[in-house]
Amino acid sequence: MACSREIAADELAKHTAANDCWLAVDGVVYDVTKFLEAHPGGKTVLLKEGGKDATKKFKLFHGPDVMRKYGPKLQVGLLKGAKAAGKASTAKAPKGDTKDFYGDLVPYGDPNWYQGFKSPYYGPSHEAWRKRVRAFVDKEIVPYCSEWDNSSEYALPRDLYKKFAAAGLLPGVVGAPWPEQYAGKGPEGYDAFHELILIDELGRCGSGGVLWGLFEGIQIGLPPVLNFGSKFLKDKVVKSCLSGEKLICLCITEPWAGSDVANLRTTARREGDYYIVNGAKKWITNGMFSDFFTVAVRTGGPGMKGLSLLLLEKGMPGLKCRHMKCSGVWPSGTTYITLEDVKVPAANLIGKEGNGFKMIMSNFNHERWGFVVQANRLARVCLEDAFKHALQRKTFGKDLVDHQMIRYKLAEMARQIDATHAWLEQVTYQMVVNKDKTKRDKILAGPIALLKAHSTKTMEYCAREAAQIFGGAAYTRSGVGERVERIYREVRAYAIPGGSEEILIDFAARQAVKKARKQLKARL
């Protein structure tokens, strides 16, 4: 248990020896004597700070995870008279209407409606939802991100999903309207902006792997069942997934076909009351720990009209999962799945046979939109961490932020992030006001494709520039640059899945050309 006794500065100053070394960080006094030999930077570094308030130097090299891990064991008291002794510092809003300010207030570190801007998109329900999500993220996710990301299990703790559901948040990832029939009553007037807030706030953890591990499988694997499945399938799957009891994943990509969905090769041959499934799926998010698998299969001839969706279940003979080691998103359980004569009840057909391509396309807009929210928040994490570092780090006799080139990098990141977020809100508004999903999907397919490509390019730019600002600290999987190092590795995980940048940009262009020719023909 942490000690709360007050320790005066002159008492702290007495503990400077190798056999009795104390120091203070953020108003908390720690006895680091037994930690000297274990310190990665060597004991001399700590001894030089013995008997002092080492807050500024500590924050130059370490992230908050260090104190969360070691602090409780080393704490001996609180530094008397220290600012915010024993408590995390909180940002103070500018004078005026403080309800318009929320969060740490690092410039551009949150969407502009957190920092004094008026917005037509958000109301009291959204503000209450934001507070609720942030409380969950700060308590249940942020303190453990580093541990989970480096775990050899390549998965999140199973009870986290139940906590996520118990907090009333998990059902929100499948989109509006809130699935009240299966999850109980949700926030008042739940809409796409509530979901945007949910994903954006979760993204503050700075780990794409944690995001994908927590909700990506459900966000993209459950909607086909929820929107097109029979009552039998919905009763079997939906409630158990939205309560965190069961997990589901989407299986589209194959070793030989990714963005080229119409040419998938996995087959499902009908034999009486069953389908016999053969093939393979690759890079499947959450596959290692999923209970259900929404699988794209070929039940007919070549091309898009021959595709269907089947629900496969963990434990079916012939369904085997193997973990894939990737450059990033480690806790998400990326999986290679082999399907050898898997016998699937015909009742597990999702929707109608031959309608698989339409259901996949219907799912794509929401999936890509979700990627946009995640990618832009991860870009914002890079900016936030780089900004804080530049304010504290000194080079050539002055603060790093006082170098013109560093300010340029920060401004360029902010410019691209806020432009992306403005476009994202514009598209999200269309999702709210266009109630006809078929019409909405048709209108937004091209813009969302472009937006997804734009967001991942922004993420890549910000990860690179933030890494340049951190220097070697962003090349290390620990310390102040840890989140930037992680996000830099995860860029490709966002730029390729859900449609690669090249495929999406060309898709949007082809749609625009088709529309332009139609309009031109109508005028002639």
Side-chain angles (χ1 to χ4, degrees):
M1 181 179 291
C3 180
S4 59
R5 75 181 181 94
E6 284 195 330
I7 298 172
D10 56 354
E11 182 183 351
L12 172 64
K14 297 175 183 177
H15 301 271
T16 60
N19 63 349
D20 181 22
C21 185
W22 292 9
L23 55 78
V25 175
D26 278 335
V28 181
V29 179
Y30 301 96
D31 182 349
V32 296
T33 308
K34 295 181 179 180
F35 187 71
L36 291 175
E37 298 296 337
H39 185 245
K43 65 180 181 181
T44 304
V45 175
L46 290 183
L47 286 171
K48 285 183 177 180
E49 302 304 315
K52 303 175 185 176
D53 185 340
T55 301
K56 288 185 178 180
K57 289 188 178 180
F58 174 86
K59 290 184 175 181
L60 282 176
F61 301 103
H62 301 290
D65 287 340
V66 174
M67 282 309 182
R68 292 192 189 104
K69 183 176 182 179
Y70 298 106
K73 299 177 183 178
L74 304 177
Q75 183 177 341
V76 292
L78 304 178
L79 185 60
K80 188 175 182 179
K83 185 178 180 181
K87 299 179 181 178
S89 61
T90 54
K92 186 177 181 180
K95 291 181 179 180
D97 193 352
T98 57
K99 73 180 181 62
D100 291 331
F101 296 90
Y102 186 83
D104 295 336
L105 302 184
V106 175
Y108 306 102
D110 276 313
N112 55 30
W113 71 283
Y114 289 44
Q115 302 191 349
F117 276 50
K118 304 292 184 181
S119 173
Y121 301 126
Y122 308 99
S125 177
H126 298 103
E127 292 171 1
W129 178 247
R130 174 180 63 181
K131 183 177 180 180
R132 184 170 159 188
V133 179
R134 179 160 289 207
F136 178 82
V137 173
D138 285 348
K139 179 183 178 182
E140 303 291 353
I141 296 180
V142 170
Y144 312 105
C145 264
S146 181
E147 176 186 339
W148 293 337
D149 202 69
N150 290 293
S151 170
S152 59
E153 297 294 323
Y154 299 105
L156 301 178
R158 196 67 184 231
D159 67 345
L160 180 63
Y161 303 95
K162 295 178 182 179
K163 290 179 180 179
F164 192 33
L169 304 177
L170 176 54
V173 304
V174 297
W178 184 270
E180 187 171 338
Q181 180 181 352
Y182 302 97
K185 190 171 179 61
E188 181 183 353
Y190 189 84
D191 61 15
F193 282 106
H194 285 89
E195 188 183 5
L196 189 160
I197 292 168
L198 173 60
I199 300 172
D200 186 56
E201 283 289 324
L202 288 167
R204 289 178 50 252
C205 73
S207 171
V210 170
L211 293 178
W212 286 20
L214 181 60
F215 67 78
E216 194 62 38
I218 289 176
Q219 187 178 49
I220 64 179
L222 190 59
V225 178
L226 185 62
N227 297 325
F228 303 104
S230 63
K231 183 180 184 302
F232 166 75
L233 286 182
K234 289 178 182 178
D235 290 345
K236 184 185 189 73
V237 174
V238 178
K239 189 172 183 178
S240 62
C241 285
L242 294 182
S243 66
E245 294 289 337
K246 301 284 186 178
L247 299 176
I248 190 170
C249 63
L250 181 68
C251 307
I252 304 294
T253 303
E254 298 176 349
W256 36 77
S259 297
D260 188 10
V261 175
N263 286 313
L264 297 179
R265 298 184 188 179
T266 295
T267 61
R269 185 181 74 258
R270 182 70 180 262
E271 289 188 2
D273 292 334
Y274 294 90
Y275 286 97
I276 308 301
V277 180
N278 282 281
K281 297 294 178 179
K282 195 172 185 180
W283 297 294
I284 304 305
T285 300
N286 297 180
M288 289 302 298
F289 40 80
S290 282
D291 302 285
F292 302 111
F293 304 77
T294 300
V295 184
V297 296
R298 186 165 298 285
T299 52
M304 61 184 71
K305 293 183 179 180
L307 295 179
S308 300
L309 292 180
L310 282 176
L311 181 78
L312 275 63
E313 301 172 51
K314 183 179 181 180
M316 284 183 167
L319 189 160
K320 298 178 182 178
C321 296
R322 175 170 57 84
H323 178 253
M324 297 178 65
K325 291 186 177 181
C326 301
S327 62
V329 293
W330 297 335
S332 67
T334 307
T335 310
Y336 188 96
I337 302 175
T338 55
L339 304 162
E340 298 176 351
D341 293 328
V342 183
K343 194 174 182 180
V344 184
N348 282 26
L349 178 70
I350 301 172
K352 294 182 180 179
E353 193 171 293
N355 278 1
F357 188 82
K358 290 181 180 179
M359 289 184 279
I360 293 168
M361 291 301 107
S362 175
N363 207 40
F364 262 153
N365 274 358
H366 183 247
E367 175 184 354
R368 290 166 179 166
W369 174 87
F371 280 147
V372 173
V373 183
Q374 293 177 52
N376 207 46
R377 171 53 85 166
L378 292 176
R380 204 181 286 278
V381 167
C382 290
L383 169 60
E384 179 182 10
D385 285 4
F387 209 134
K388 289 178 178 177
H389 183 68
L391 289 169
Q392 297 182 65
R393 178 78 168 175
K394 288 188 180 294
T395 60
F396 303 101
K398 59 182 177 181
D399 291 343
L400 187 59
V401 77
D402 288 332
H403 295 279
Q404 184 180 22
M405 180 54 71
I406 300 302
R407 294 196 301 273
Y408 172 82
K409 290 178 182 295
L410 294 172
E412 273 292 284
M413 285 191 275
R415 177 180 67 82
Q416 294 185 38
I417 291 167
D418 265 20
T420 304
H421 200 84
W423 190 1
L424 171 61
E425 289 180 324
Q426 185 185 61
V427 166
T428 303
Y429 180 69
Q430 304 310 310
M431 293 166 64
V432 172
V433 297
N434 288 316
K435 304 300 182 183
D436 186 329
K437 188 177 187 307
T438 302
K439 183 179 179 181
R440 181 175 74 231
D441 285 346
K442 187 175 182 180
I443 293 172
L444 293 179
I448 287 179
L450 281 181
L451 179 54
K452 197 261 184 182
H454 182 73
S455 70
T456 55
K457 286 177 177 288
T458 297
M459 177 184 174
E460 182 166 16
Y461 177 86
C462 292
R464 182 194 185 281
E465 293 303 279
Q468 291 300 108
I469 291 173
F470 272 102
Y475 192 63
T476 311
R477 292 180 182 175
S478 61
V480 290
E482 176 182 352
R483 298 205 300 177
V484 172
E485 184 277 330
R486 181 190 300 135
I487 293 169
Y488 192 89
R489 282 187 285 105
E490 294 180 336
V491 168
R492 298 272 69 78
Y494 283 86
I496 297 172
S500 69
E501 291 173 351
E502 295 78 8
I503 292 291
L504 294 184
I505 289 171
D506 183 59
F507 167 73
R510 285 187 288 109
Q511 271 209 336
V513 169
K514 183 179 179 180
K515 183 178 180 180
R517 282 176 171 161
K518 185 177 181 180
Q519 292 174 338
L520 179 62
K521 186 177 180 180
R523 288 197 295 267
L524 295 178

